[in-house]
Amino acid sequence: MSSRSVFSALMGVYILVFFAYLFGPLVVMGLTAFNTPAYPQVYPFEAFTLDWFATLFADADMMYGLRKSVLIGVLVVLVSVPVGLAGAMMMTQVHARARSFYYLVVVSPVLTPGVIIGISTVVFWRQTTQMTGLKFFYDGTVLTVLAQSSFISAYTMLIFLARLQRFDHTLEEAALDLGASRAQVFRNILIPFMMPAIGSASAIAFLSSFENYNTTTFAILADKTLVTVLAGRLRQGTTPALSALAVTIVAVTVCGAILYEYLKRREAREADRRALNASRAELADLNAVAQDAA
Amino acid sequence: MTSAVALDHVSIRFGSFTAVDDASLDIAPGEFFSFLGPSGCGKTTLLRTISGFVEPSEGVVRIDGKDMRGIGSNQRPTALIFQNLALFPMMSVAENIVYGLRVRGMGKSERMKVADRLLDLIALPGQGNKRIDELSGGQKQRVAIARALAVEPKVLLLDEPLSALDLKLRQHMRSELKEIQRRVGITFIYITHDQGEALTMSDRIAVMDRGVIQQIGDGRTLYNHPRTAFVASFVGETNILAGKVATAEGELAEVATAHGPLSGANARKLMSGSDAMLFIRPESLRLTAPGAGAIRGTIVGSAFEGHVTHVSLVAADGSKLTVSVNGEAARLVPEPGAEVGLVYRPEEAIILPSEGYAHA
Amino acid sequence: MHSSIGQVVIYVIPAMVLAWFGWLAWRDRRDPANAGRQGFVARNGWPVAGFLVIAVGFWTIFMIVLPLFSMIDLSFRPKLPPPQWGGPKDFYTLDNYRYFLFGSTTSTAAWNVTHLTAFALTILTSIAITALDFVICYPIAYYMAKVARPNRLRLMMLMLIAPYWVNEILRAFAFRILFSSQGIINNVLMASGLIDQPVDFLAADVALYAGLAYAYLLMMMFALYNALDTLDGNLIEAARDLGAPWWHIHAFIAIPHAKPGIASGSTLVFMLTAGSLAAPLVLGGPRSLWFTPIVYDRFYQAFNWQQGAAYALILLVACVVFVLGVLRLFKLGLAEIAR
Ligand SMILES: Nc1ncnc2c1ncn2[C@@H]1O[C@H](COP(=O)(O)OP(=O)(O)OP(=O)(O)O)[C@@H](O)[C@H]1O
Ligand SMILES: [Mg+2]
C-alpha cells in the first residue's frame, strides 16, 4: 500500500471520529427527549414518549421567555441591519487617515467577550438614566437590544462590506445621470442590490440574538428570555424537557435551512435559464448580422 | 445659434496629474461629434465633465448656452451611456428603460406606454419583462440607448458603447446608431479609440492625445490636413520620416532625413533648422525603378486585399515603409528581395513639427 | 480625584475624536488638490448622509465607546449606595483591584488565592483549548480546502454548521448528559464492567474542558478553511514533485500561508472561551474555577458593581493582551484577522 493511500485512509477515519465528536453529544441529547425516565438518559432506553414535549410547551416561563426572545430578536434585526449597513457604507467614506481607527472601533465588539458587552451596557445606561431621569429606558428588553446590537451590528457590517465590495458604482452614476436624487439612488439601486445581504444579515442577526446568553444574562436585568430561563433550569437540574427544547430548535432550524437551500437552488436554476437565454440571443444576433451581410 | 455643448478652456486635474488640458470646443445641435484618442488620453474624463460627474478644475462647460457650474449630473439635460453600460441588474428591461421617468414622477401606466414605444424603437418589442442578464450584448447595448433616450436628453453621451461587442456586430451597430440619431435628431457625443468608428459615423471629430485636443475637424480634413504629428500618425496609415527642416520656401519645404533631403507641404510654416517629421500616406507613394525616385528600399512582402495591395519595404537605414498599390498595378509589384525606388508628389506629403510627439 | 472628573473625561474623549474626524474632513475640503471632489453630504444626499451619521454615531458612541468607558470608570470607584454616587465620598480608588489581588480592600497581607487561581486557570486553559482546537481543526480544514471535491465539501460545510444551530447552553447541556454520573458514558462503562462506581467527570472538569473545546470549534475551522482555501494548489504539487515530505509541505507552505487564519481563529476561540459563561455554569462542578462566573457573582450575588466592573476589565485586558500577543507573534495587522 502506498503512503498516499495510508494517509487518505487515516484521514477518512479522522473525519469520521471528528463528526462523531460533533454530532454524538447532540444525538444523545436528542434521544433523551423521547425516553421516559425523568433523568435524561438514552441507555437503557425504557420506552418511547412525547410527554416531554408536552411538559415543555406547558411551561409558562419557557413560553414567556420564547416570546421575549422573539421580540428581542426582531428588534435586534431592526437595529443592527440598518446600523451595520451604515457602518459598512461609512467605511470607504471615512478619511483615509482615520480609517483604521474607525475599523478598530467598529470591529472591537466582535473581539470583546460577550459578558463585558453586557456589563458595560448595563453600567452605562444605569448611570445615564439615573442622571437624565429617562427611567423607562432602563429596561431589560431595551438594554438587551442595545447590548446585543452593539456586536451583532459588527457582524452585519462585515456581511455588508463583503457585498458592497462587489457593488458597481457606475450603477449609482447611471441613476444620477437619469435624474435620480441621492435618496432615490439609495432606495432604488443600493438597497435592492444589498437585498441578498440584508436577508442573510437579518437571519444571522436574529439567530445570534435568539441564542445569545453571555450578553443577555447581564442586560436582561430582572426580565427573562428563553435562554436565560433555560440556564436557570439547568442550574436547578436537568430534565428531558430541555432535550425536547433542543430537538424543537433543531427541527425548526433544519426546516429553515431546507427552505433556504430550496430557494437558493430555485434562484440558481433561474439564473441558469437566463444565462441560456442570453447565449441564445447572442447567437441569434450573430446569425442576423451574417444574413444581412449575405 | 447657441451650441449644444461648449467647452471653454476646460482643464481637469486629479492631484498633480492633468487629465484634460485646456480644452475648448463648440458642438452644434444635432451634430454627431466624436472624441478619438488612444486609451487613457482623457476621453472618459471629458465626457464625465460634460455630464456633471467631474467638476472642471478650470474653465466652464455650457450646455445649450447655460453655464453648468454647480449643476449636478441629475439636473443636466444630458444622458450618458457608460462604457460598461451600467444597466440595473435588479430591474427588468422595461423598468430599466423608464427609470429616468420614474424618478421624474411619471405614473406607471404612462411609463409602460413609453417603454413599449422605446422597445419598438430598439427592435425588442414585447421583451420588457426580461431580466438584464437574459439579453445578448447587442440587446443590452440597445436597452442602454433606450434608457438614455427615454428622458429625452438634449445631448446623448456615449462612452465607447460598442467596445464590448463582437467585431461583426460592432459594424452592424454603427449603422443602427447612426439611424437612431437621424430619427431622434439630438446631439450625439461619441467616444472611441477606434478611428473606423469615428470616421464612418461622425460629422466632426476631436482627436485627443494625453489630455490635449490636437485637432477638430471632419474626417476628410483630419486625414488630408492633419495639424499635428500625432493626428497625422493616428488617423489612417502613414509613413513617418523624421529629420530637420533644411530649406523652407513658399508652400513647400525640404527635410533632411536618413534618406536624404525630401520635400513636402510645409503646413505649419516651419523655419529651417527646426525638428520636423515628414508624413507620406501609403497611397501617395509609387514604386519605380531602383535608383530613380527620392527614396530607396527593398521589398519584404505584400498583402493582397482585393482592391488594394499593401507592399512593405525596408529602407537602407532599416526603417519600415508601406506602399499601397491599386487594382491591376499590383500585378507589377516585384518579388520580395527586389530593390525599388519610391516617388511621391511633394504636395501630398506633409511636414509637421515633431515636438510633443512621443508615439512611435 | 473626585469621580465627577471622570464623567467629564468620558464625554470629552469621544467629542475630541469626533472633532478630529471633522477637522480632517474640513482640511480636505480646503485642499485645492481636491477642488473637484464632492463632500460627504453632496456625495450621499442629506437624507442618506443624515442616516449614516446618526446610525454610525449612535452605534459607535452610545453602544460601543461610552459603555466601555463607563465600565472602566466604575471599576475605579468605591462601593457606595446609588444615592451617594457622585456625592462627596465618590473618589477614585484602586480598592476593587486591590480586592482582586488580596481579597480585601484594606489589607495586603494575604493573596486572594481563589480569584487569582481562577483567573490564571481560565487564561491558561483557554490558551490550551485554543491550541487544541487548532490541532483538531487543521487536518479537516486542510482536507476541505485542498483535497475534498465540491460535492463532498458542500456536505461537510453543512455538517459543520448544523451543530451550531443548537444554542450554546443546550450544547453544554448535551455534554452534561454525556458525562453526568447517570450519563451514557458512565452507564456504558459500568455495564461493560470497566468501573463499578460512576466517575464524577463534572467534578473533575473533564466535562467542562470537553465542552469548551467543542463550543467554538467552528470559529477555528472556518478561519483556517478560508485561509487555506486561498493557498495555490500548484505550490503544493510543485513541492511534492521536488520530493518534499508531507510534514514539510504543512510546516513550510500551508501553515505559513494560513497565518492570518490561524491568528483570527485563535483570537476568536480564545476570546469566546475565556469569556464563556454558559459552559462553566452548566458543566462546572461545585469546585470548578472559571473566571466569568466569579464576575457574574460580583454583580448578582455580591451586588458590588464596582468590583464586578473591575473584574470584567481585568478579563478584557487579558483578551486584549492575547490579541496583541497573537498579532505580534504572527506579525499581522488587525484588519487581516477581523474578517
Ligand atoms: N478619479 C480619478 N483620479 C485620478 N486619476 C484619474 C481619475 N479618473 C481618471 N484618471 C486618469 O486620467 C487619465 C484619463 O482617464 P480616462 O478614463 O479619461 O481615459 P480614456 O481616454 O477614457 O481611456 P480608455 O480608452 O482606457 O477608457 C487616466 O490616466 C486615468 O488614470
Ligand atoms: Mg474611457
Side-chain angles (χ1 to χ4, degrees):
Chain A
M1 214 154 74
S2 77
S3 72
R4 217 56 189 262
S5 58
V6 170
F7 263 120
S8 59
L10 277 179
M11 195 63 219
V13 170
Y14 183 70
I15 290 174
L16 284 183
V17 170
F18 177 80
F19 280 107
Y21 174 57
L22 217 53
F23 282 97
L26 299 178
V27 171
V28 167
M29 173 171 66
L31 290 177
T32 63
F34 300 99
N35 195 7
T36 44
Y39 188 83
Q41 69 175 46
V42 270
Y43 178 84
F45 196 89
E46 287 173 12
F48 179 85
T49 176
L50 290 176
D51 288 353
W52 299 117
F53 288 87
T55 317
L56 173 69
F57 292 114
D59 188 325
D61 270 3
M62 287 269 194
M63 291 302 118
Y64 173 84
L66 175 65
R67 281 196 298 277
K68 195 97 231 184
S69 287
V70 170
L71 172 71
I72 289 175
V74 169
L75 291 175
V76 165
V77 170
L78 292 180
V79 173
S80 63
V81 167
V83 166
L85 181 59
M89 288 176 64
M90 204 65 148
M91 189 67 76
T92 50
Q93 304 199 34
V94 170
H95 192 280
R97 294 218 348 243
R99 195 165 300 152
S100 55
F101 176 74
Y102 171 74
Y103 192 79
L104 175 71
V105 171
V106 294
V107 302
S108 66
V110 176
L111 301 172
T112 308
V115 289
I116 289 172
I117 292 175
I119 292 169
S120 58
T121 304
V122 174
V123 165
F124 172 68
W125 290 104
R126 183 160 92 157
Q127 283 180 1
T128 311
T129 50
Q130 267 175 359
M131 273 180 353
T132 55
L134 295 167
K135 281 283 160 52
F136 73 95
F137 219 74
Y138 190 67
D139 167 79
T141 309
V142 174
L143 290 194
T144 305
V145 170
L146 286 174
Q148 290 185 350
S149 299
S150 106
F151 67 91
I152 292 176
S153 297
Y155 295 166
T156 59
M157 183 194 72
L158 292 174
I159 296 173
F160 290 135
L161 271 182
R163 178 92 185 152
L164 267 183
Q165 266 166 7
R166 285 192 284 142
F167 182 62
D168 174 5
H169 285 278
T170 59
L171 294 183
E172 257 175 12
E173 294 187 336
L176 280 177
D177 188 59
L178 293 167
S181 67
R182 290 285 174 179
Q184 282 170 323
V185 173
F186 181 75
R187 217 172 45 235
N188 304 337
I189 310 296
L190 190 69
I191 294 293
F193 175 81
M194 296 301 285
M195 222 51 219
I198 291 175
S200 47
S202 301
I204 285 181
F206 184 85
L207 290 178
S208 316
S209 161
F210 191 83
E211 72 130 45
N212 181 270
Y213 175 68
N214 292 355
T215 302
T216 310
T217 185
F218 286 94
I220 197 68
L221 304 176
D223 212 339
K224 48 193 178 259
T225 68
L226 184 62
V227 174
T228 59
V229 173
L230 184 62
R233 286 296 152 76
L234 276 172
R235 292 225 266 185
Q236 288 159 20
T238 52
T239 100
L242 302 179
S243 310
L245 177 64
V247 170
T248 313
I249 291 178
V250 171
V252 170
T253 34
V254 164
C255 288
I258 290 173
L259 184 70
Y260 174 78
E261 188 69 18
Y262 169 75
L263 291 177
K264 230 170 86 169
R265 293 240 171 123
R266 206 178 61 174
E267 174 53 33
R269 268 203 308 277
E270 267 297 294
D272 284 351
R273 187 186 63 76
R274 293 200 299 266
L276 189 68
N277 278 353
S279 50
R280 284 207 187 115
E282 202 75 58
L283 216 66
D285 277 6
L286 287 172
N287 281 336
V289 171
Q291 269 169 18
D292 266 15
Chain B
M1 197 163 59
T2 50
S3 41
V5 175
L7 303 184
D8 189 359
H9 296 286
V10 169
S11 294
I12 301 152
R13 278 185 277 277
F14 299 113
S16 62
F17 174 76
T18 304
V20 173
D21 193 3
D22 195 26
S24 292
L25 52 84
D26 285 281
I27 299 173
E31 191 172 5
F32 196 120
F33 191 95
S34 292
F35 285 96
L36 173 65
S39 192
C41 71
K43 306 180 298 285
T44 299
T45 306
L46 198 51
L47 208 65
R48 289 168 60 79
T49 310
I50 298 173
S51 59
F53 292 114
V54 180
E55 283 286 318
S57 317
E58 278 162 37
V60 182
V61 175
R62 290 197 192 81
I63 299 179
D64 225 15
K66 242 173 65 193
D67 188 340
M68 285 288 130
R69 269 178 297 198
I71 297 184
S73 47
N74 45 6
Q75 315 275 337
R76 298 192 181 191
T78 58
L80 174 59
I81 292 177
F82 289 76
Q83 207 159 357
N84 67 355
L85 302 185
L87 294 173
F88 306 130
M90 52 290 218
M91 298 180 198
S92 70
V93 168
E95 284 171 333
N96 260 280
I97 291 179
V98 292
Y99 181 74
L101 303 176
R102 174 171 153 205
V103 297
R104 283 171 173 73
M106 183 188 271
K108 178 147 190 170
S109 56
E110 229 178 312
R111 281 197 324 247
M112 286 305 126
K113 271 187 220 139
V114 178
D116 286 341
R117 190 165 54 72
L118 284 164
L119 283 167
D120 285 344
L121 176 81
I122 58 170
L124 285 175
Q127 313 228 24
N129 285 328
K130 284 201 168 168
R131 299 257 123 200
I132 294 304
D133 55 3
E134 286 182 78
L135 302 181
S136 70
Q139 289 172 334
K140 283 185 196 159
Q141 189 61 62
R142 285 180 276 169
V143 172
I145 293 169
R147 184 178 72 176
L149 290 177
V151 299
E152 300 185 351
K154 294 212 167 78
V155 181
L156 188 67
L157 307 166
L158 303 101
D159 191 354
E160 310 206 21
L162 306 184
S163 58
L165 295 185
D166 183 271
L167 181 68
K168 277 195 206 132
L169 274 174
R170 210 183 300 171
Q171 300 198 336
H172 177 75
M173 282 299 286
R174 282 185 197 173
S175 49
E176 212 171 297
L177 263 181
K178 194 65 191 160
E179 170 63 19
I180 288 174
Q181 197 239 354
R182 196 186 58 72
R183 276 207 259 170
V184 296
I186 59 172
T187 311
F188 272 40
I189 300 182
Y190 191 94
I191 278 190
T192 180
H193 59 245
D194 178 339
Q195 48 168 307
E197 267 174 27
L199 292 172
T200 50
M201 293 196 280
S202 328
D203 299 322
R204 281 194 305 156
I205 301 167
V207 180
M208 287 185 77
D209 179 37
R210 284 171 296 165
V212 179
I213 294 184
Q214 302 276 325
Q215 188 173 355
I216 301 172
D218 60 25
R220 225 170 273 283
T221 310
L222 294 176
Y223 191 83
N224 293 326
H225 306 288
R227 298 288 297 166
T228 69
F230 178 79
V231 176
S233 64
F234 192 74
V235 180
E237 290 293 308
T238 194
N239 293 300
I240 307 172
L241 304 122
K244 267 190 188 346
V245 177
T247 58
E249 51 197 55
E251 295 296 296
L252 295 183
E254 208 158 65
V255 180
T257 69
H259 311 276
L262 297 173
S263 48
N266 192 0
R268 298 281 295 274
K269 302 277 171 272
L270 296 180
M271 306 293 237
S272 61
S274 44
D275 286 328
M277 284 176 155
L278 182 75
F279 295 90
I280 314 173
R281 298 283 178 199
E283 64 270 22
S284 299
L285 284 171
R286 262 171 301 116
L287 298 175
T288 178
I295 310 169
R296 295 166 73 91
T298 310
I299 295 185
V300 290
S302 65
F304 174 70
E305 285 186 11
H307 59 289
V308 63
T309 300
H310 295 288
V311 182
S312 2
L313 303 100
V314 180
D317 67 333
S319 61
K320 288 184 183 134
L321 296 168
T322 311
V323 178
S324 355
V325 183
N326 276 331
E328 286 302 298
R331 293 158 157 269
L332 306 174
V333 173
E335 289 297 303
E339 276 223 16
V340 291
L342 297 170
V343 287
Y344 64 93
R345 308 222 327 253
E347 51 275 29
E348 285 180 5
I350 294 185
I351 298 171
L352 293 167
S354 53
E355 68 185 81
Y357 181 89
H359 300 263
Chain C
M1 194 170 63
H2 191 261
S3 70
S4 52
I5 296 172
Q7 293 297 311
V8 175
V9 171
I10 287 177
Y11 290 95
V12 164
I13 292 177
M16 273 168 51
V17 171
L18 285 185
W20 177 55
F21 272 48
W23 178 74
L24 281 177
W26 178 80
R27 215 192 40 172
D28 251 30
R29 289 306 301 279
R30 307 225 332 157
D31 187 343
N34 293 329
R37 304 237 174 107
Q38 287 177 315
F40 179 72
V41 175
R43 195 165 50 227
N44 294 290
W46 64 263
V48 177
F51 157 68
L52 291 184
V53 168
I54 291 172
V56 173
F58 188 80
W59 180 31
T60 51
I61 295 172
F62 290 99
M63 287 158 78
I64 300 178
V65 174
L66 287 183
L68 183 65
F69 281 7
S70 44
M71 188 185 87
I72 297 173
D73 170 70
L74 188 70
S75 77
F76 289 101
R77 287 159 69 167
K79 182 179 183 196
L80 291 170
Q84 290 186 33
W85 285 14
K89 287 197 209 151
D90 203 353
F91 279 87
Y92 282 116
T93 161
L94 289 173
D95 279 359
N96 303 314
Y97 296 92
R98 208 170 286 134
Y99 186 86
F100 171 69
L101 291 176
F102 306 109
S104 152
T105 52
T106 45
S107 131
T108 58
W111 295 103
N112 185 352
V113 179
T114 336
H115 291 179
L116 286 174
T117 39
F119 179 71
L121 206 63
T122 301
I123 299 303
L124 294 177
T125 310
S126 299
I127 292 175
I129 284 177
T130 306
L132 179 65
D133 277 0
F134 170 73
V135 172
I136 294 175
C137 289
Y138 180 80
I140 307 271
Y142 183 84
Y143 178 83
M144 289 200 306
K146 290 278 92 85
V147 185
R149 283 178 227 292
N151 272 337
R152 167 81 58 96
L153 178 63
R154 272 172 72 97
L155 179 68
M156 286 180 78
M157 284 280 190
L158 202 69
M159 286 178 56
L160 277 175
I161 300 170
Y164 291 86
W165 283 333
V166 182
N167 95 36
E168 195 181 336
I169 297 220
L170 288 172
R171 269 181 273 145
F173 173 56
F175 272 80
R176 178 138 164 190
I177 295 176
L178 281 186
F179 283 107
S180 65
S181 51
Q182 302 154 57
I184 184 164
I185 295 184
N186 270 318
N187 281 354
V188 169
L189 288 178
M190 293 218 292
S192 66
L194 280 173
I195 51 170
D196 47 23
Q197 279 293 307
V199 181
D200 194 348
F201 290 114
L202 293 177
D205 285 338
V206 173
L208 176 59
Y209 297 152
L212 281 171
Y214 181 91
Y216 311 110
L217 264 183
L218 190 69
M219 304 291 160
M220 183 64 89
M221 188 66 84
F222 279 107
L224 288 180
Y225 168 76
N226 286 335
L228 286 170
D229 195 38
T230 60
L231 175 61
D232 185 359
N234 293 330
L235 218 58
I236 304 171
E237 278 308 313
R240 202 170 275 145
D241 288 346
L242 293 173
W246 64 270
W247 58 266
H248 202 284
I249 290 171
H250 290 284
F252 296 108
I253 298 173
I255 292 183
H257 180 84
K259 251 174 30 180
I262 298 173
S264 76
S266 306
T267 314
L268 278 174
V269 171
F270 175 84
M271 183 275 286
L272 288 166
T273 309
S276 91
L277 186 54
L281 285 184
V282 176
L283 293 173
R287 288 185 318 283
S288 289
L289 287 173
W290 202 257
F291 196 61
T292 38
I294 294 176
V295 179
Y296 184 86
D297 289 346
R298 295 298 97 199
F299 281 87
Y300 293 114
Q301 301 268 302
F303 293 101
N304 189 338
W305 284 40
Q306 290 78 1
Q307 217 174 67
Y311 278 48
L313 192 64
I314 290 167
L315 180 63
L316 180 62
V317 169
C319 288
V320 171
V321 167
F322 183 85
V323 173
L324 293 179
V326 167
L327 290 181
R328 174 65 57 86
L329 189 66
F330 289 96
K331 302 194 177 64
L332 294 170
L334 183 68
E336 289 163 282
I337 65 159
R339 281 268 160 259

